[in-house]
Amino acid sequence: MTRGVLIVGNESLLCAAIAAQAAKRVERFAQALLPNRLADQGRGGLKASYLSQGSVSPDPGSTVIPLTWNPGSPISARTLVLSAERQLERVDEAVLVCAPPSLRRPVAEILPLDIEILVNDHIKGWFFLVRELAGIFRARRAGTLALVVPEFGSGRDDQADLLGVPAVAAFRALAQGILASSAAEPYLALGFSSQETGENENFAAYIFKLIDEAGKRNSGKWYKYGRFNFLK
């Protein structure tokens, strides 16, 4: 039986590259994309940019099984995991990709709705979903939970991003806690990050290479992608 792969993440080029790598390994995989719902209108068309890549088609009958997810709901998190298991028979690997949109505005100009979206979609939702996945992996005593997050520099532009940076910081803190406690768990927990720009395809290949090769001794480790360590 082929392995069951579930990918959940923000609509982004990184998520598209990870989906493309999954398509090389399995006949079908499940994917839930978190759209950019910011009320702020100065962002440009992220969804159009993502879909133009054409890495994986969301049409029925293709490699990907599209699933829906309301991140702010714990019931939706459970429904997502159960739907993935029903469609795939079981989930062996869950790859969670935190690559949130940015919001560069003076704090006094942030809309209250965008603050709610930040908390519900980009922070709270990940906690609900990780809880559900950890539960099924613990019950089965097997599985791989891969947590993927970009690195941010220390420049002024990064500090001015009042949505992306807090969302990534919360996800990273959650991931570090999971990795730190992974020795007591029967499943594998792996963390991945990269500061390389324009390297989405290579970073995605690096992630799946390590997932393919991972054993219990690798659990709890955080892997930082770089061009040189990928070529070794």
Side-chain angles (χ1 to χ4, degrees):
M1 181 176 66
T2 185
R3 71 209 228 202
V5 177
L6 169 64
I7 298 171
V8 184
N10 306 96
E11 284 187 345
S12 64
L13 299 181
L14 176 57
C15 204
I18 289 173
Q21 286 295 321
K24 295 178 181 180
R25 289 166 167 79
V26 294
E27 291 184 2
R28 302 198 79 193
F29 64 94
Q31 182 183 56
L33 292 176
L34 174 58
N36 185 346
R37 300 195 303 121
L38 292 182
D40 183 271
Q41 296 300 304
R43 297 171 282 109
L46 177 60
K47 185 172 184 180
S49 173
Y50 167 76
L51 292 177
S52 69
Q53 298 301 303
S55 297
V56 179
S57 168
D59 295 332
S62 67
T63 303
V64 63
I65 301 168
L67 301 175
T68 58
W69 177 40
N70 174 12
S73 166
I75 296 174
S76 182
R78 175 166 297 182
T79 300
L80 170 61
V81 174
L82 292 176
S83 296
E85 287 205 299
R86 183 172 63 251
Q87 298 268 16
L88 299 170
E89 296 187 21
R90 69 182 189 188
V91 175
D92 299 295
E93 300 164 9
V95 184
L96 309 188
V97 187
C98 178
S102 62
L103 180 60
R104 290 179 169 85
R105 286 281 184 273
V107 66
E109 297 178 15
I110 298 178
L111 299 175
L113 176 58
D114 284 337
I115 296 173
E116 291 205 9
I117 290 171
L118 162 64
V119 174
N120 288 327
D121 287 13
H122 304 290
I123 296 178
K124 187 165 68 172
W126 292 120
F127 281 81
F128 289 148
L129 184 56
V130 167
R131 177 183 179 275
E132 293 298 329
L133 289 166
I136 65 164
F137 288 158
R138 177 183 282 183
R140 191 183 302 140
R141 302 196 62 79
T144 299
L145 180 62
L147 303 154
V148 183
V149 64
E151 297 272 6
F152 278 103
S154 57
R156 290 183 63 187
D157 285 345
D158 289 321
Q159 293 175 355
D161 180 358
L162 297 179
L163 190 150
V165 172
V168 166
F171 185 89
R172 176 181 286 275
L174 171 63
Q176 288 173 334
I178 292 168
L179 297 181
S181 60
S182 63
E185 299 291 351
Y187 58 87
L188 306 183
L190 309 171
F192 298 94
S193 60
S194 171
Q195 280 187 319
E196 303 283 354
T197 58
E199 288 281 318
N200 290 318
E201 281 132 18
N202 287 337
F203 182 31
Y206 173 78
I207 290 168
F208 267 100
K209 178 178 182 292
L210 289 175
I211 290 175
D212 293 343
E213 299 172 353
K216 188 57 181 174
R217 63 185 178 84
N218 304 105
S219 191
K221 292 184 178 180
W222 194 289
Y223 295 92
K224 293 186 177 182
Y225 167 77
R227 293 185 184 93
F228 296 108
N229 62 21
F230 181 56
L231 294 173
K232 289 181 180 179

